[in-house]
Amino acid sequence: MSRFLGGLAPGRRILLVAATPLEGQAIARGLSVGLDLAPDPPRSWGPYALTDQIDLVISGPGKVNAAAITALAVKPERHAAVISVGIAGSLPGSGLAVGDVVAANACVYADEGVQTADGFEDLAAMGFPMGPWDGDGSRGGSTLPVAELLLGWMALLTPKLVRIATVSTCSGTDAGAEEVVRRTGAQAEAMEGAAVAHVAALLGVPGGELRAISNTTGERSRQVWNIKAALAALERTISRI
């Protein structure tokens, strides 16, 4: 693994971006690093140098927090790649179970666009692409592909490579979850990944996403949740670094 990190960019580091202190603590434990992060919204964002090759920053939840803190933390001369790391919900038809760990082969904005009587149009379809990556030849205009070399590294951590949707509003109804799948072709949803990859792309650094499944989506009363199991799975996966 160290040789692969070196091949990714000799002498540089990987920046991990976690939304919450709970996720950050799981990452630190996975790397056998003692790190005391308060459970409340952090006052000090980092980044923390966890090892000689891994930095961590806590962004706060949601796209705006993730984008702003990533932009402040990423140093192209220091970082070979940026990865959004945390928990996610599984989408209908994905076959993903709570405790599974997935890496994004594409990070997809699920709800940047306009809802019309004829259906949803993303920004690319409206003529306002979010960046040069818009329109990847498959589903979803606002899709950020993950660089092949970074994807190869994450495939060493988990064999489950999927499309991950980034949402502003999580899917708490069956219709809402199914709509995210129709729009994006994603198997999981979270709230930060595409924003982190977006900022990384603007700065010329490969971006990606690594998630442990903490819950199902769809009708809220029928959702299955186990954040503790997801964090334990995330910790085990990070330990492979």
Side-chain angles (χ1 to χ4, degrees):
M1 189 69 72
S2 294
R3 286 195 300 275
F4 188 89
L5 281 170
L8 191 59
R12 289 196 285 162
R13 305 166 69 87
I14 304 294
L15 175 66
L16 306 182
V17 182
T20 67
L22 276 176
E23 292 159 315
Q25 292 279 194
I27 291 167
R29 287 194 303 270
L31 295 170
S32 300
V33 174
L35 187 62
D36 183 17
L37 296 174
D40 297 323
R43 299 288 184 266
S44 174
W45 303 103
Y48 306 96
L50 298 185
T51 74
D52 61 357
Q53 293 181 305
I54 303 291
D55 289 342
L56 167 70
V57 66
I58 309 299
S59 69
K63 289 180 281 192
V64 173
N65 280 328
I69 298 306
T70 300
L72 289 172
V74 174
K75 307 298 179 191
E77 69 280 3
R78 177 180 175 89
H79 296 120
V82 184
I83 304 172
S84 177
V85 181
I87 59 177
S90 64
L91 287 165
S94 67
L96 296 173
V98 170
D100 284 347
V101 176
V102 299
N105 53 30
C107 305
V108 193
Y109 282 110
D111 43 25
E112 260 70 17
V114 60
Q115 184 69 53
T116 73
D118 297 322
F120 178 81
E121 289 186 14
D122 61 32
L123 288 175
M126 293 171 64
F128 303 104
M130 298 184 74
W133 53 80
D134 260 5
D136 69 347
S138 59
R139 297 195 209 184
S142 298
T143 299
L144 291 103
V146 177
E148 218 170 289
L149 189 59
L150 178 56
L151 192 58
W153 179 71
M154 290 198 293
L156 298 176
L157 300 178
T158 174
K160 296 180 185 293
L161 306 178
V162 304
R163 292 170 72 87
I164 303 179
T166 297
V167 299
S168 295
T169 301
C170 294
S171 300
T173 66
D174 291 343
E178 289 160 5
E179 178 65 13
V180 171
V181 176
R182 278 195 296 272
R183 288 180 191 174
T184 66
Q187 289 78 50
E189 70 172 26
M191 302 186 75
E192 298 85 23
V196 170
H198 186 149
V199 171
L202 292 177
L203 295 174
V205 178
E209 188 170 5
L210 182 72
R211 298 275 172 185
I213 301 300
S214 59
N215 60 281
T216 58
T217 58
E219 190 61 40
R220 187 76 167 168
S221 63
R222 295 196 304 271
Q223 288 180 2
V224 176
W225 282 77
N226 194 332
I227 292 176
K228 184 177 180 179
L231 292 174
L234 187 63
E235 180 181 337
R236 288 192 300 271
T237 300
I238 292 295
S239 73
R240 296 175 192 147
I241 297 176

